[in-house]
Amino acid sequence: MSVIPVADKYDIEGQPVGDLPEGYRHRNSIFNGERIRLSAAAGEVISFQMLLRGEKPVSLELALDSLQPRVDWFEAVYVSAHGRRIPDPLLPVGDSITLTPDQDSAIVADIYVPFDAKPGMQRGTVQVSDGRVIPIEIEILPFAIPRAASFFCEMNGYGLPDTVEQYEALQQIAYDHRVHVNILHYSHHTAAPGARKTNLDMRMRSGRRMDNRRYDDIEPRAKHAYWDDFATAFGPYLDGSLFENGHRGPIPAPGFYLSFHESWPLNCRAYYNGDPDAYRAFEATPEYADTYVNVLSDFVEFAQMRGWNDTGFQIYFNNKGSREELTKAPWILDEPASYWDYRALRYYGGLTDVGRERESSQRTPRVKIDFRIDISRPEFCRGQLDGRDDLWVVSASAFENYRRLVTDRADRDGLRLWVYGSANHVHQSNRDIQAWSLDAWSGGATGVVPWQTINKDGQALVEADQFGLFIFDQGDQGIPEIRHSMRLKAFRDAQQLIEYLNLLQARKGWTRTQRSAFVQQFVGLAATVVQTHEADAGTSQYPGVKGTAWDRLRQATANLLRE
């Protein structure tokens, strides 16, 4: 029996994944071979990983002297990865775990420290029902992390699940890891007259599907849209009431794609005149722009009525097309590549400004709607987005190669920056996720976005899937159950450390340069962004980052927050 940090892993042969020191299984930052020692701020979720071998089924129990936190136990599944079998998907532990004498069972414990936990040392034991016992100590630190995230880890996906229950199950898992899932619900082929504009047809709890046809049935110059099913399906997530009984209490959705794009509420090709300049492309059909503004204004009024004032709504143009592709947008609006693409985004950003301000300017509090632009070529902007304080989600490769350009723009115009890329491969160290998040924060970003995170066919339970952070598993009754990857724990660890650092920065009054210098004392964040092709967002790798350095940074930050 041994214990290691949850961000590290050994394959089925007992060989380390990544560069781990010899003897690390039995001596590391949380385990000295005899005792587990952890620390946590109030409200933090801390984890450890046990590597167990044995002769028979066992059960596990964690008991502390006075604190009775929620403890969730998971067993990792070894999957084929780069010629090895490596633990990644996690299944909830049932009544018992079947051990074998010559292979580790990787068991993960998540400990939810209450927000009202008092500072001090908590002592107890981790007991294995076959008689083995490990003492555990948890130091509760004299500060708390905030309930709502101040650094965002957005788990991107495409295509909503079949039912609202599955959607909410995804969000519950995300919530427990201080991240959120944001799923795009329209395709690239929405532009032609009469084409389907969105894919909003989840089955609701009533058993009826959302009325997608009615939702999309918007006439030119309409002033209102049909929001009833939208509110029924998404309302509990948007206002946070879905999490009423969760560890952090009700937290409104930090990020949510609205339907607005170049072909919602109206199919753009029905009004487009062929001009590459979006400002001239709809001159003869002003009803196109009028309808966009009217329906957005209607949504703002509806959202204010529902109390969705703290929800992170996003208007995002995901589509890529050309003037010749008549089923697609006339421009490349996701990862824009040309002057006309950027100019089209400015045009739609202007319409968004009018629509979201028309109602909200008359009311308080205001509904928060970001005009989001995903950018992989910031060097081609050519001034078309100057003066706009949008949400830029910048590719990992662009953030690495054009960081000064991007951060200067953010400082000048008040942009918010997130960085998109990919989670590490299963056969790579999960420390890369932690380093990527920390590198983004050090560079001025307030979030990261792995661009694809959902495995819908369940194959990630057998074969490693870089993008399978959430996994649809067919349950015993044929009803999908949502599993998750160990790599989500790395995102949570990174997010919580950044909460420490944000608390420290606020206390010290540090600039971005000063906070980056503080981090660099402990963790060298020299990244290599690996792309499989030119358009790939990139996977950031940090070969120089060691778990020991991460632990020293966390400890130093906690010590300064004690003062």
Side-chain angles (χ1 to χ4, degrees):
M1 179 167 61
S2 55
V3 179
I4 61 174
V6 74
D8 299 314
K9 51 195 176 185
Y10 286 82
D11 69 13
I12 202 167
E13 304 294 333
Q15 297 302 308
V17 177
D19 185 14
L20 299 179
E22 189 171 350
Y24 189 78
R25 293 168 62 102
H26 300 288
R27 187 167 295 275
N28 51 65
S29 61
I30 66 169
F31 186 57
N32 65 2
E34 298 178 352
R35 182 183 306 271
I36 302 169
R37 185 176 176 89
L38 306 170
S39 65
E44 192 170 0
V45 183
I46 51 176
S47 304
F48 63 86
Q49 183 182 169
M50 299 178 69
L51 304 178
L52 286 176
R53 301 185 184 192
E55 301 285 349
K56 59 183 181 180
V58 297
S59 59
L60 300 167
E61 182 180 2
L62 187 152
L64 299 173
D65 289 340
S66 57
L67 196 67
Q68 294 183 320
R70 167 185 162 188
V71 181
D72 292 346
W73 295 94
F74 301 94
E75 181 174 9
V77 177
Y78 289 88
V79 294
S80 298
H82 212 63
R84 305 167 71 179
R85 294 188 63 79
I86 296 173
D88 186 62
L90 296 173
L91 302 180
V93 168
D95 294 335
S96 65
I97 302 163
T98 300
L99 303 181
T100 61
D102 53 0
Q103 176 186 312
D104 294 326
S105 291
I107 309 299
V108 172
D110 285 346
I111 306 168
Y112 290 75
V113 177
F115 280 88
D116 60 359
K118 300 293 188 291
M121 189 67 73
Q122 291 286 329
R123 293 180 172 84
T125 57
V126 177
Q127 302 177 27
V128 185
S129 61
D130 61 9
R132 289 178 284 181
V133 177
I134 301 180
I136 184 170
E137 296 177 349
I138 302 176
E139 182 186 10
I140 309 300
L141 300 169
F143 59 89
I145 60 174
R147 292 176 182 268
S150 61
F151 181 88
F152 301 98
C153 299
E154 180 168 286
M155 306 290 115
N156 193 66
Y158 301 90
L160 290 164
D162 185 58
T163 69
V164 167
E165 287 90 341
Q166 293 166 16
Y167 180 81
E168 291 180 347
L170 279 170
Q171 299 295 0
Q172 289 281 4
I173 294 170
Y175 170 92
D176 283 344
H177 290 83
R178 296 183 67 92
V179 307
H180 64 276
V181 179
N182 200 2
I183 301 178
L184 195 75
H185 54 264
Y186 62 83
S187 77
H188 286 299
H189 297 276
T190 60
R196 184 173 181 173
K197 304 172 193 174
T198 63
N199 298 293
L200 279 176
D201 59 355
M202 288 192 298
R203 189 177 299 280
M204 298 181 290
R205 291 188 178 277
S206 66
R208 181 175 65 82
R209 289 200 177 274
M210 300 172 72
D211 192 339
N212 200 167
R213 186 183 297 275
R214 186 175 178 186
Y215 180 79
D216 282 352
D217 187 17
I218 299 173
E219 295 295 323
R221 288 206 166 88
K223 295 185 181 298
H224 303 285
Y226 172 67
W227 304 113
D228 293 12
D229 286 356
F230 179 93
T232 299
F234 298 114
Y237 171 60
L238 296 177
D239 65 20
S241 60
L242 177 64
F243 311 118
E244 184 70 38
N245 298 317
H247 172 62
R248 296 184 283 137
I251 303 292
F256 184 89
Y257 293 125
L258 293 174
S259 302
F260 295 91
H261 63 287
E262 76 287 345
S263 290
W264 199 91
L266 297 178
N267 301 109
C268 75
R269 289 285 181 173
Y271 305 90
Y272 176 64
N273 67 12
D275 197 305
D277 187 346
Y279 283 89
R280 299 193 301 259
F282 305 101
E283 283 181 332
T285 52
E287 63 270 26
Y288 173 75
D290 290 346
T291 308
Y292 183 99
V293 170
N294 290 344
V295 175
L296 178 53
S297 178
D298 182 53
F299 175 78
V300 171
E301 184 176 12
F302 182 79
Q304 286 171 326
M305 181 182 67
R306 300 284 303 197
W308 297 339
N309 299 302
D310 294 319
T311 304
F313 292 112
Q314 300 172 11
I315 291 180
Y316 167 51
F317 287 67
N318 178 66
N319 287 343
K320 299 179 179 182
S322 67
R323 282 181 291 165
E324 293 74 29
E325 295 176 280
L326 300 184
T327 66
K328 295 183 178 181
W331 305 280
I332 297 173
L333 301 172
D334 170 45
E335 301 177 315
S338 75
Y339 170 84
W340 299 118
D341 300 337
Y342 276 99
R343 187 161 172 79
L345 285 165
R346 185 176 188 89
Y347 168 76
Y348 286 112
L351 295 183
T352 299
D353 292 345
V354 177
R356 64 185 171 184
E357 295 298 327
R358 180 188 288 176
E359 287 294 329
S360 62
S361 63
Q362 308 300 318
R363 302 166 182 255
T364 55
R366 300 172 69 176
V367 175
K368 298 189 296 187
I369 300 177
D370 283 316
F371 187 68
R372 167 178 168 166
I373 307 172
D374 284 20
I375 292 180
S376 60
R377 305 173 184 89
E379 71 276 21
F380 293 163
C381 189
R382 300 180 179 90
Q384 284 304 299
L385 300 177
D386 284 3
R388 297 197 53 81
D389 59 347
D390 301 315
L391 170 61
W392 274 26
V393 184
V394 181
S395 72
S397 57
F399 196 66
E400 182 67 21
N401 297 320
Y402 294 98
R403 186 170 301 195
R404 178 66 183 273
L405 184 156
V406 169
T407 55
D408 282 356
R409 276 294 313 277
D411 292 341
R412 188 187 70 196
D413 293 337
L415 295 172
R416 287 194 301 127
L417 295 177
W418 294 359
V419 181
Y420 74 91
S422 303
N424 60 268
H425 289 276
V426 171
H427 67 268
Q428 296 167 338
S429 171
N430 296 351
R431 297 285 182 179
D432 282 343
I433 286 172
Q434 296 178 326
W436 177 40
S437 303
L438 188 60
D439 189 18
W441 177 84
S442 296
T446 56
V448 292
V449 183
W451 74 273
Q452 175 61 290
T453 60
I454 301 173
N455 175 271
K456 293 183 178 179
D457 64 8
Q459 276 299 108
L461 293 166
V462 180
E463 298 281 342
D465 182 355
Q466 181 183 12
F467 309 116
L469 298 179
F470 300 88
I471 306 163
F472 280 69
D473 180 17
Q474 290 297 325
D476 294 337
Q477 307 301 317
I479 300 173
E481 298 182 45
I482 315 299
R483 313 301 186 189
H484 68 278
S485 162
M486 291 177 71
R487 290 169 289 164
L488 271 188
K489 315 295 182 191
F491 277 107
R492 182 173 59 199
D493 281 357
Q495 200 286 326
Q496 291 179 147
L497 175 58
I498 291 170
E499 297 294 1
Y500 281 33
L501 290 164
N502 279 335
L503 291 171
L504 183 60
Q505 181 180 13
R507 181 178 296 185
K508 297 290 187 182
W510 284 343
T511 64
R512 185 172 68 232
T513 300
Q514 288 172 319
R515 77 184 193 183
S516 179
F518 174 73
V519 168
Q520 293 285 349
Q521 292 181 74
F522 302 93
V523 183
L525 294 172
T528 299
V529 180
V530 178
Q531 295 175 276
T532 57
H533 50 83
E534 184 182 1
D536 183 19
T539 303
S540 298
Q541 298 178 4
Y542 298 83
V545 172
K546 311 296 183 192
T548 51
W550 179 272
D551 296 330
R552 287 196 299 270
L553 172 61
R554 183 176 182 274
Q555 187 62 53
T557 307
N559 287 341
L560 289 170
L561 287 170
R562 294 173 193 264
E563 296 176 357

